[in-house]
Amino acid sequence: MRHIAKTFARGIHPPEHKEGTRSLAIRRLPFAPELIVPLLQHTGAPAAPCVNDGQEVVRGEPIAKAGGFVSVPMHAPVTGVVTAIERRLSAKGDMVRSIVIRTYMGADQEVLYSAPQDIDTMPVHELIRAVQDTGVVGLGGAAFPTHVKLAVPEGKRIDTVIVNGCECEPYLTTDHRVMLEYADDIHVGIQIVQKAVGAERTVIATEDNKLDAAEALWTSPRIAPTTSIAVLKTHYPQGAEKMITKVVLDREVPSGGLPAEVGVAVFNVATLAQLGELLPKRQGLIERVVTITGPGVAHPGNYMVALGTPLSFALKHAGLRADATEVIFGGPMMGPAVADPDVPITKGITGILVLTEAETSKQPTKVYPCIKCGRCVEACPIHLNPSRLGLLAKSGLYETMETDFHLSDCFECGCCTYVCPAHIPLVQQFRVAKQLNRQRKAAQS
């Protein structure tokens, strides 16, 4: 284990607000009477259902097949019966075809689909296919299919795996608890991805507000000689791939490029913990750890939640307070507000933040003109000019934002909006601009 005192230039350090949940062990949330499993919970093509309306399913059983290479299958999160295959509202606000399962509340909910396999002797191409079969995607929030990331692009070589345990978003402690309680599984996951991408070494990166997690990982009997641990200075958004690659290895991911361009593959700790647990047993992803926190709940904590659990059910068990006014999926810097309490919890949801009127009433509502103070420029971790981009957005020059000012490099961390004294919703403007540019390109193709 080693300590790196430095961090990346720029960025911010907002109040952490992690004290409410970081010391609380993971607890299992009860199973809801009805679960909604969207067939698209990840980047790529939706899965295709392989069950019918009225069919009984057991927990862990495949219920939908991958819809292509950039896609993953879905597995039954509970033992029950399929009551519908229909379009339901998703957390993103769109209608997604989903499998609805009524839970058999008297069932023991044991995972019956399991067939141990020897991952040590498995050829790489079979290993990658087996990873796809687990349905595991990036559990840090991106939900990019993990097996796709393991398929190294032709002409590229990966020498280092970075395991992202920074979890720099305020309030969230999911990864912190997973590192403390599932350290052995994380190391098994590391062995899998290191073999798949052909890397010689792995660096687990966490921050100095999680020293107990670093110690748990370092003292795990499953740690390999090729794995080291780097403890970084707490900073936001250090969990971003480009930032963590720069800090840990001093390598710059080029504009528009991926870490593979500089010989690196980055994986979230929760992703590897699930992979390390599921793959040797040939099981599918059916649950995940979610931080439910904020002043708006009476029982904050880190909960093991069955995928497809309605948000309203989870909030009820976390003790939703009467004065709760806003629910956010994820952290306050990047997480979207939730409009409907009955949307399901899916693979990419790391946390549920519940705020009350006391917090939301403090949020500025009046927006002032840009005074060109430069604070957003000083905060942007990838050296964009958010002020200029905001002025271009105000004029509707979305294409110019992309062609001349690298809009596509913005990963929407929200630092610019956080520091703006004029309260200009810069990151929201950038999201709109990106969406309109995507629509324009689609119309032209």
Side-chain angles (χ1 to χ4, degrees):
M1 184 162 56
R2 59 195 171 112
H3 189 284
I4 300 176
K6 66 177 184 179
T7 182
F8 63 94
R10 306 193 178 191
I12 58 176
H13 189 167
E16 297 178 14
H17 295 297
K18 294 176 184 285
E19 62 280 358
T21 57
R22 62 183 164 200
S23 62
L24 301 177
I26 297 168
R27 293 172 282 172
R28 178 170 294 284
L29 200 75
F31 293 101
E34 179 184 88
L35 276 75
I36 305 154
V37 183
L39 295 173
L40 184 58
Q41 302 184 34
H42 53 270
T43 303
C50 56
V51 293
N52 299 310
D53 192 356
Q55 181 175 333
E56 292 185 324
V57 294
V58 297
R59 191 162 184 248
E61 175 182 351
I63 56 175
K65 299 179 179 178
F69 180 65
V70 187
S71 181
V72 295
M74 303 294 170
H75 302 78
V78 290
T79 294
V81 59
V82 176
T83 58
I85 301 175
E86 61 188 16
R87 291 165 67 83
R88 290 288 188 99
L89 188 65
S90 79
K92 293 183 177 179
D94 52 354
M95 300 297 288
V96 176
R97 196 178 185 209
S98 305
I99 297 175
V100 183
I101 302 174
R102 185 177 72 239
T103 305
Y104 286 162
M105 300 305 290
D108 61 11
Q109 298 298 346
E110 181 183 358
V111 179
L112 298 175
Y113 263 73
S114 182
Q117 55 189 347
D118 185 358
I119 57 176
D120 293 332
T121 59
M122 197 177 286
V124 168
H125 69 280
E126 289 185 16
L127 187 65
I128 293 175
R129 188 170 58 197
V131 171
Q132 183 179 19
D133 290 343
T134 65
V136 171
V137 300
L139 300 182
F144 189 77
T146 300
H147 69 281
V148 179
K149 193 178 277 190
L150 295 177
V152 180
E154 189 173 345
K156 305 296 180 186
R157 178 180 172 274
I158 304 297
D159 59 64
T160 306
V161 168
I162 295 178
V163 181
N164 180 5
C166 288
E167 197 173 46
C168 50
E169 267 269 11
Y171 286 100
L172 302 185
T173 55
T174 296
D175 290 350
H176 190 167
R177 294 308 311 183
V178 167
M179 287 188 282
L180 281 171
E181 301 181 42
Y182 295 91
D184 290 355
D185 289 332
I186 291 171
H187 285 299
V188 176
I190 288 171
Q191 294 167 26
I192 292 168
V193 300
Q194 194 170 323
K195 175 180 177 180
V197 302
E200 295 98 7
R201 61 170 176 160
T202 293
V203 181
I204 304 174
T206 186
E207 295 183 324
D208 58 9
N209 60 355
K210 311 175 192 66
L211 293 177
D212 53 351
E215 181 67 18
L217 290 162
W218 182 247
T219 56
S220 167
R222 302 302 298 265
I223 190 170
T226 55
T227 297
S228 61
I229 298 174
V231 181
L232 313 178
K233 185 177 179 181
T234 301
H235 201 50
Y236 178 87
Q238 197 150 236
E241 286 190 336
K242 289 186 177 181
M243 301 299 103
I244 204 169
T245 301
K246 172 64 177 175
V247 176
V248 174
L249 300 175
D250 196 23
R251 298 181 189 177
E252 294 271 5
V253 179
S255 174
L258 297 170
E261 304 282 342
V262 293
V264 178
V266 182
F267 299 90
N268 168 263
V269 285
T271 307
L272 296 193
Q274 284 289 350
L275 204 57
E277 178 189 1
L278 299 174
L279 195 65
K281 296 187 287 190
R282 204 194 299 261
Q283 291 183 347
L285 182 65
I286 56 176
E287 59 190 8
R288 66 155 300 153
V289 180
V290 178
T291 301
I292 305 178
T293 188
V297 292
H299 311 300
N302 291 290
Y303 292 91
M304 186 66 79
V305 181
L307 297 173
T309 298
L311 170 63
S312 56
F313 181 87
L315 290 176
K316 178 182 177 182
H317 281 269
L320 183 67
R321 294 186 183 279
D323 58 347
T325 55
E326 185 173 5
V327 179
I328 295 171
F329 272 148
M333 296 301 298
M334 297 186 72
V338 183
D340 191 305
D342 289 323
V343 295
I345 294 170
T346 53
K347 297 180 180 182
I349 292 175
T350 56
I352 300 168
L353 173 61
V354 186
L355 303 176
T356 66
E357 188 174 358
E359 293 80 38
T360 55
S361 63
K362 296 177 184 175
Q363 296 174 359
T365 56
K366 186 172 182 179
V367 176
Y368 297 91
C370 175
I371 58 174
K372 299 182 176 61
C373 64
R375 292 187 188 177
C376 58
V377 177
E378 294 173 359
C380 181
I382 50 173
H383 301 264
L384 297 180
N385 187 335
S387 173
R388 186 65 181 272
L389 284 166
L391 293 173
L392 290 169
K394 190 175 181 180
S395 302
L397 299 174
Y398 306 123
E399 191 172 354
T400 304
M401 293 170 68
E402 182 172 313
T403 56
D404 295 357
F405 292 90
H406 307 284
L407 174 65
S408 57
D409 282 343
C410 171
F411 55 86
E412 303 170 18
C413 66
C415 288
C416 53
T417 300
Y418 183 84
V419 300
C420 178
H423 312 310
I424 300 172
L426 291 165
V427 73
Q428 289 83 356
Q429 293 177 346
F430 303 161
R431 287 173 184 154
V432 171
K434 287 181 179 179
Q435 177 65 24
L436 292 173
N437 282 341
R438 284 193 291 267
Q439 292 176 358
R440 173 178 51 79
K441 290 177 182 176
Q444 293 172 348
S445 62

